[in-house]
């Protein structure tokens, strides 16, 4: 796409600051009742697009099913499009949490799936080819060990292999359900509290 056309769509047809142009350092902030988080993202590319606070920007697509179990109306906190070359862009989906357990991880995966489709739609609108995608979850504490006894209702049918949440979290076997299980890269990002009790962390993607 002609760069002028993309800029026109962003600047003149979208609401102000929906998508922001960024250099290779991007500061992401999250404000919740439980506290504040700040993540510094460093990318190799120096021409990037960022949608901050996606979950608060009314990106609901009304033709998706409203079944809460499918999470189609939930979003990650931030989406970054990293300009790799020509029309190729890498998408970074970032969810920011203080604590992650087994049930919370399932919720996060639902957000990743819905946000992946949203990110694809926006990229297509702006004629940007998605050449890669990576999922990230920031956290202070995590516990993905299975419960001592799995309730009958949560047991897998006979013949289906169970994928350990810990393996998905560590990026060994992460996937999202699109009729078939599509593999994705997931990278957990550890956060620490500073003297002001703000969770802070650094994400470097410069390889």
């Amino acid at each position: 796409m002609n760069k002028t056309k993309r800029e026109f769509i962003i600047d003149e047809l979208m609401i102000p600051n929906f998508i922001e142009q960024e250099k290779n350092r991007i500061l992401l902030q999250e404000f919740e009742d439980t506290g504040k988080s700040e993540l510094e993202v460093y990318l190799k590319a120096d021409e990037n697009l960022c949608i901050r606070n996606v979950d608060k920007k009314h990106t609901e697509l009304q033709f998706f099913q409203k079944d809460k179990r499918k999470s189609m109306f939930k979003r990650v906190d931030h989406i970054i499009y990293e300009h790799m070359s020509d029309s190729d862009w890498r998408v970074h989906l970032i969810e920011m949490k203080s604590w992650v357990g087994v049930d919370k991880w399932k919720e996060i995966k639902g957000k990743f799936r819905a946000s992946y489709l949203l990110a694809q739609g926006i990229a297509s609108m702006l004629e940007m080819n998605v050449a890669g995608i990576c999922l990230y979850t920031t956290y202070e504490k995590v516990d993905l060990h299975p419960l001592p006894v799995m309730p009958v209702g949560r047991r897998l049918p006979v013949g289906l292999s169970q994928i350990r949440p810990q393996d998905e979290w560590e990026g060994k076997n992460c996937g999202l359900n699109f009729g078939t299980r599509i593999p994705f890269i997931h990278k957990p990002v550890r956060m620490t509290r500073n003297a002001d009790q703000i969770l802070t962390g650094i994400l470097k993607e410069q390889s």
Side-chain angles (χ1 to χ4, degrees), residues 49-193:
L49 298 175
C50 179
I51 308 177
R52 289 180 169 84
N53 304 309
V54 187
D55 55 332
K56 298 179 177 64
K57 287 187 171 175
H58 306 293
T59 59
E60 298 86 354
L61 300 174
Q62 297 302 322
F63 50 77
F64 279 131
Q65 295 181 20
K66 294 180 172 60
D67 187 336
K68 291 184 178 180
R69 294 172 299 177
K70 297 183 179 180
S71 302
M72 296 312 299
F73 284 76
K74 293 188 176 182
R75 303 287 182 260
V76 295
D77 293 313
H78 312 283
I79 297 176
I80 296 174
Y81 294 90
E82 181 183 10
H83 194 190
M84 305 305 295
S85 63
D86 298 327
S87 61
D88 290 341
W89 298 71
R90 178 184 295 153
V91 177
H92 305 275
L93 302 181
I94 302 171
E95 176 68 6
M96 301 177 77
K97 294 293 183 187
S98 58
W99 181 84
V100 178
V102 174
D103 289 338
K104 183 62 67 175
W105 174 238
K106 290 180 180 178
E107 176 186 317
I108 292 170
K109 286 183 63 183
K111 291 185 178 184
F112 281 142
R113 184 171 69 170
S115 300
Y116 166 71
L117 293 177
L118 174 67
Q120 279 192 315
I122 293 173
S124 180
M125 187 186 307
L126 299 177
E127 297 181 12
M128 301 187 302
N129 179 54
V130 176
I133 187 164
C134 193
L135 318 177
Y136 309 84
T137 308
T138 71
Y139 71 101
E140 180 184 25
K141 298 178 181 178
V142 60
D143 184 0
L144 294 174
H145 293 96
L147 298 175
V149 178
M150 180 179 288
V152 174
R154 296 176 61 184
R155 291 176 184 166
L156 292 175
V158 175
L160 294 182
S161 61
Q162 183 176 2
I163 298 170
R164 296 175 64 246
Q166 188 70 36
D167 289 342
E168 289 192 307
W169 174 262
E170 294 173 355
K172 299 174 183 176
N173 193 13
C174 185
L176 300 177
N177 180 21
F178 288 99
T180 184
R181 191 171 185 274
I182 298 178
F184 285 86
I185 297 171
H186 176 261
K187 298 181 181 182
V189 181
R190 181 70 180 269
M191 306 279 274
T192 57
R193 291 188 184 272

